[in-house]
Amino acid sequence: MLKEVGKVVVGREEETELLLVSLLARGHTLIEGVPGVSKTMLAKAFSKCLGLAFKRVQFTPDMLPLDIVGGFIFNMKSREFEFRRGPVFTNILLADEINRAPPKVQSALLESMQELQVTIEGYTEKLQSPFMVIATENPLEFQGVYPLPEGQLDRFMVKLKLDYPPASVESAIIRRNLSEMDLEVVKQVVSSDELTAMLKGVQDVRVSDEILEYLAKIASETRTDQRIDLGASPRAMIHLVHSARAAAYLSGREYVIPDDIKRLSTYVLTHRIKLDQSSALRDQRLDVDTVIREVMDRVRPPR
Amino acid sequence: MPLEDLLALNLLIPLDVVIYLSLIIGVFLTWRRAGKPRIEDPVLAFALLEKSLQKAFPDLPAGFTLREALSLAERLRLKVDWGRVQLALERYEAFRYGGATLPEKVQEEVLRLAAILPRGVRVDGH
């Protein structure tokens, strides 16, 4: 799969694997990155590899919830209201620049992410399975954006930061783009049955009591660290353990080990933890990733 | 002395040699075994390895995992069969976190590593 995605997106193996982890753990992913770092291409290639239905929505300030979840439209012929499905009825939805849409639209989407169904005027329709939102946001934009509040950020299982690639990778990207990039070169490598089996396999991955205690200690440490204003929520820890199960499954293990938790902690916790403003002002270099790494360094894992 | 008695006496000499030799070998083998670390329980073996790793890399944070510490130890290029250490670790993890049966006799290389790890190595390898 990494090879197939690598045909059109260079140097994003880790991110591709984390997208798969998120999908297998039935989570959603938030990608933060400046324009032009292959966010859209990565999402497209990823869904094509898995043979999943894919839709992309460019979020704008004038959007309505109807544009995402759909709504009832009056049919002049039958003289009845008919439910017209919105782009959310797909397997993988790329919500491009999610923070450009007003909060009403964001919350309509996030509700679908949580409930895996859409309810409009008492009519409920389930979403397709698997369903995954890959939302993107540009970290450098401050005007005309509606930042996602903490409660909504918490719905995303994983946050990936797509930085500019290193020079060696960048030259490979430019070389590959000398001829026109075509998504047709990406082949489906996982069948529908295989994906179903993978989703089921993740459910069977064992999490020992020691690992659960380790998770509880991490959560507690994030809540008592003086530099953190808002620590990890119980939902964050649930997302962490689910993603660790998916990572363990992809590593060929039937059990979670402390290394799975440590590896995924940055990706799962970074967007949920809010630093204390005075600590951030005292130490300009202090960032959430560093604080999470230090927390993980302090908490003794089972050995 | 009658000939029969003389023959019996001569037969006793090699018998004595065999008895004393087996006694000496037995004492030597017991002494050698006592010199080697012998821990049958893999949990204790890995606890011993953990202590040795902490002494080898005193800069390791409290939150280190065995895999992380072993990847640092691997860089020291010690004469250890890393394949067997890896296998032992995987079986130990399967027992510890996966509910597999307690592995037997996979910890010999782990004990060997615990015994030869140097002390006071900085995490960057110096």
Side-chain angles (χ1 to χ4, degrees), chain B residues 21-115:
Chain B
L21 207 62
S22 55
L23 269 171
I24 290 164
I25 290 169
V27 168
F28 176 72
L29 284 178
T30 314
W31 172 77
R32 264 196 76 183
R33 273 192 207 135
K36 270 187 179 178
R38 271 173 56 82
I39 297 174
E40 299 293 340
D41 185 356
V43 178
L44 285 177
F46 275 93
L48 187 72
L49 177 65
E50 184 189 332
K51 295 280 173 217
S52 297
L53 286 165
Q54 279 172 323
K55 284 175 186 165
F57 306 105
D59 297 342
L60 273 178
F64 81 91
T65 65
L66 284 175
R67 283 184 182 229
E68 286 169 347
L70 284 174
S71 72
L72 286 174
E74 209 169 342
R75 285 188 223 160
L76 300 177
R77 298 181 183 198
L78 302 168
K79 286 193 174 174
V80 176
D81 184 343
W82 288 105
R84 289 185 66 196
V85 173
Q86 186 63 32
L87 181 72
L89 178 65
E90 281 170 14
R91 289 194 182 170
Y92 171 69
E93 284 173 343
F95 154 72
R96 190 79 191 268
Y97 310 112
T101 49
L102 196 68
E104 281 175 18
K105 292 186 178 177
V106 292
Q107 69 273 18
E108 283 167 16
E109 204 65 10
V110 170
L111 290 171
R112 223 171 76 75
L113 173 64

Side-chain angles (χ1 to χ4, degrees), chain A residues 155-283:
Chain A
R155 308 270 169 97
F156 287 97
M157 182 174 273
V158 168
K159 181 178 179 179
L160 305 177
K161 284 183 188 168
L162 260 63
D163 290 328
Y164 288 119
S168 57
V169 175
E170 188 136 20
S171 59
I173 293 170
I174 298 166
R175 192 179 304 115
R176 198 163 291 190
N177 279 271
L178 287 174
S179 55
E180 199 177 329
M181 289 291 274
D182 193 354
L183 206 63
E184 290 302 309
V185 295
V186 179
K187 301 273 183 292
Q188 181 181 345
V189 286
V190 180
S191 71
S192 173
D193 288 345
E194 283 170 335
L195 186 61
T196 308
M198 285 166 87
L199 286 161
K200 195 185 170 301
V202 171
Q203 300 290 313
D204 297 334
V205 171
R206 184 187 156 116
V207 185
S208 71
D209 289 347
E210 285 176 300
I211 296 289
L212 295 176
E213 283 164 23
Y214 178 47
L215 284 161
K217 281 194 274 180
I218 294 166
S220 168
E221 194 70 22
T222 64
R223 293 168 199 158
T224 52
D225 193 306
Q226 296 296 308
R227 297 167 302 172
I228 298 175
D229 232 7
L230 182 70
S233 67
R235 188 194 281 150
M237 303 323 285
I238 293 167
H239 279 182
L240 183 52
V241 76
H242 282 311
S243 56
R245 284 171 101 184
Y249 178 81
L250 290 175
S251 302
R253 269 182 281 107
E254 293 166 350
Y255 47 88
V256 171
I257 60 171
D259 298 77
D260 297 322
I261 304 288
K262 278 195 86 174
R263 182 190 158 215
L264 288 160
S265 60
T266 324
Y267 301 108
V268 177
L269 300 180
T270 188
H271 55 293
R272 304 162 198 266
I273 282 175
K274 203 175 168 195
L275 287 185
D276 173 48
Q277 287 304 308
S278 56
S279 301
L281 280 172
R282 271 198 300 275
D283 186 355

Side-chain angles (χ1 to χ4, degrees), chain A residues 95-138:
Chain A
D96 235 344
E97 296 187 272
I98 192 171
N99 51 348
R100 281 196 168 276
K104 202 191 278 183
V105 179
Q106 291 176 1
S107 60
L109 175 65
L110 294 164
E111 197 181 323
S112 313
M113 288 161 60
Q114 183 72 18
E115 309 290 333
L116 298 177
Q117 62 182 29
V118 168
T119 303
I120 301 163
E121 293 174 30
Y123 173 77
T124 303
E125 191 158 325
K126 288 213 173 293
L127 297 177
Q128 292 178 35
S129 179
F131 174 65
M132 181 192 192
V133 171
I134 302 174
T136 72
E137 60 177 16
N138 179 351

Side-chain angles (χ1 to χ4, degrees), chain A residues 15-131:
Chain A
E15 288 82 359
T16 309
E17 198 198 330
L18 287 162
L19 279 177
L20 188 56
V21 162
S22 185
L23 178 78
L24 293 179
R26 297 180 189 273
H28 307 282
T29 303
L30 180 64
I31 303 180
E32 189 182 270
V34 291
V37 286
S38 312
K39 297 190 289 284
T40 307
M41 189 58 102
L42 177 65
K44 278 184 180 176
F46 174 73
S47 51
K48 189 151 188 223
C49 275
L50 299 169
L52 296 173
F54 173 85
K55 279 180 187 161
R56 176 192 177 183
V57 180
Q58 182 68 47
F59 279 51
T60 53
D62 59 347
M63 275 183 108
L64 295 170
L66 181 91
D67 300 323
I68 301 295
V69 295
F72 284 94
I73 308 288
F74 189 70
N75 186 328
M76 296 292 274
K77 272 188 185 170
S78 62
R79 307 193 67 79
E80 279 180 350
F81 280 97
E82 284 176 359
F83 181 68
R84 188 173 288 175
R85 295 187 179 110
V88 77
F89 289 90
T90 184
N91 292 123
I92 293 183
L93 177 71
L94 177 65
D96 235 344
E97 296 187 272
I98 192 171
N99 51 348
R100 281 196 168 276
K104 202 191 278 183
V105 179
Q106 291 176 1
S107 60
L109 175 65
L110 294 164
E111 197 181 323
S112 313
M113 288 161 60
Q114 183 72 18
E115 309 290 333
L116 298 177
Q117 62 182 29
V118 168
T119 303
I120 301 163
E121 293 174 30
Y123 173 77
T124 303
E125 191 158 325
K126 288 213 173 293
L127 297 177
Q128 292 178 35
S129 179
F131 174 65

